Amino acid sequence: MKIPMYIVDAFTARPFADNPAAACLLPQPARDE
Protein backbone atom coordinates (compact mmCIF):
# COMPACT_ATOMS: atom_id res chain seq x y z
CA MET A 1 0.00 0.00 0.00
CA LYS A 2 1.32 3.43 -0.89
CA ILE A 3 0.90 6.02 1.86
CA PRO A 4 1.45 9.70 1.00
CA MET A 5 4.02 11.41 3.22
CA TYR A 6 4.44 15.14 3.68
CA ILE A 7 7.20 17.13 5.35
CA VAL A 8 5.84 20.01 7.41
CA ASP A 9 7.44 22.74 9.52
CA ALA A 10 6.74 22.08 13.21
CA PHE A 11 6.82 24.60 16.05
CA THR A 12 7.09 27.68 13.86
CA ALA A 13 4.99 30.20 11.96
CA ARG A 14 7.77 30.82 9.38
CA PRO A 15 8.59 28.37 6.55
CA PHE A 16 11.86 26.43 6.96
CA ALA A 17 12.53 28.03 10.35
CA ASP A 18 12.34 25.15 12.84
CA ASN A 19 12.02 21.35 13.07
CA PRO A 20 10.82 19.42 10.04
CA ALA A 21 8.25 16.70 10.82
CA ALA A 22 6.90 13.90 8.62
CA ALA A 23 3.12 13.45 8.40
CA CYS A 24 1.48 10.38 6.83
CA LEU A 25 -2.20 10.61 5.95
CA LEU A 26 -3.80 7.18 6.35
CA PRO A 27 -7.02 6.31 4.50
CA GLN A 28 -8.41 4.80 7.75
CA PRO A 29 -7.27 4.43 11.38
CA ALA A 30 -4.37 2.00 11.91
CA ARG A 31 -5.10 -1.32 13.61
CA ASP A 32 -3.61 -2.03 17.06
CA GLU A 33 -1.70 -5.11 15.91
Side-chain angles (χ1 to χ4, degrees), residues 6-30:
Y6 302 93
I7 304 296
V8 297
D9 296 320
F11 312 114
T12 185
R14 294 181 302 142
F16 311 111
D18 211 350
N19 296 339
C24 298
L25 303 180
L26 302 176
Q28 61 195 26

